[in-house]
Amino acid sequence: MTTVADVMTRDVRTLGPNDSIVEAARCMDELNVGVIPVCDGDKLVGMVTDRDIVVRGLAKQGEVQNMKLADVMSAHVRCAKEDDDVDRVLGEMAEAQIRRLPVVDGNDRLVGIVSLGDIAAKDPDDEVDVAVSLGDISSPAEPDRSGNGGQPAQSQSQSQGQNH
């Protein structure tokens, strides 16, 4: 059995909830990534994506320079554990339509991040599973016609109500 620890990326760059969205955008640009874990010390408290910054930050036409990650991040985040089976995690990613999961220890301390790319690159036996998961994740979303002002019910990195 291949575990998340076998394929995940360690030493992930993080920011704090009081850091600015501008700092997060610069960090994403520097690292060529679309997501940054948000930690209070070493405890994971959320995730912020480039889409969160645009939709929950820029689109609100607020004071962008002063906007904090806590204002736009997803606080209820699905997570994986280091000893989780990669096939099970792939299934969860496909079901929730997410491409990456933070990896935490038993105390919710961030120890890494696992992405579809990590799994595909490090575990060639899962190539078909990764392709199926990517197809599921890439299913087009329906337009928001709920009338709630474009507020997403949940972003792609939010959980369905429970951490793992």
Side-chain angles (χ1 to χ4, degrees):
M1 167 181 89
T2 303
T3 66
V4 169
D6 297 327
V7 297
M8 73 182 198
T9 299
R10 297 179 185 275
D11 301 319
V12 176
R13 177 97 167 262
T14 66
L15 292 172
N18 291 319
D19 289 326
S20 74
I21 66 170
V22 173
E23 185 175 352
R26 287 183 181 140
C27 184
M28 288 177 190
D29 181 41
E30 174 189 326
L31 299 172
N32 194 28
V33 298
V35 65
I36 299 285
V38 181
C39 293
D40 186 4
D42 60 357
K43 186 172 180 169
L44 181 70
V45 295
M47 296 282 279
V48 66
T49 66
D50 47 5
R51 186 176 190 282
D52 292 333
I53 292 170
V54 171
V55 173
R56 297 179 183 165
L58 296 175
K60 300 298 179 206
Q61 299 176 347
E63 189 75 25
V64 175
Q65 293 296 328
N66 297 323
M67 206 170 281
K68 305 295 181 201
L69 292 183
D71 299 327
V72 300
M73 73 182 192
S74 297
H76 303 285
V77 180
R78 284 185 187 260
C79 297
K81 303 282 187 186
E82 287 181 284
D83 60 351
D84 284 346
D85 178 63
V86 167
D87 290 330
R88 189 188 63 72
V89 169
L90 271 175
E92 275 189 33
M93 293 168 85
E95 179 183 315
Q97 293 191 312
I98 52 179
R99 297 172 189 262
R100 61 193 81 74
L101 284 174
V103 182
V104 296
D105 66 12
N107 296 314
D108 289 330
R109 288 188 303 240
L110 184 72
V111 294
I113 196 163
V114 64
S115 70
L116 286 179
D118 291 331
I119 296 167
K122 296 177 184 168
D123 193 356
D125 294 338
D126 278 326
E127 205 170 278
V128 171
D129 293 334
V130 170
V132 169
S133 294
L134 182 58
D136 291 343
I137 290 166
S138 300
S139 298
E142 292 294 319
D144 178 14
R145 292 188 170 87
S146 66
N148 65 358
Q151 284 288 337
Q154 293 184 326
S155 83
Q156 73 176 22
S157 60
Q158 283 184 307
S159 77
Q160 302 297 318
Q162 292 184 19
N163 282 353
H164 203 92

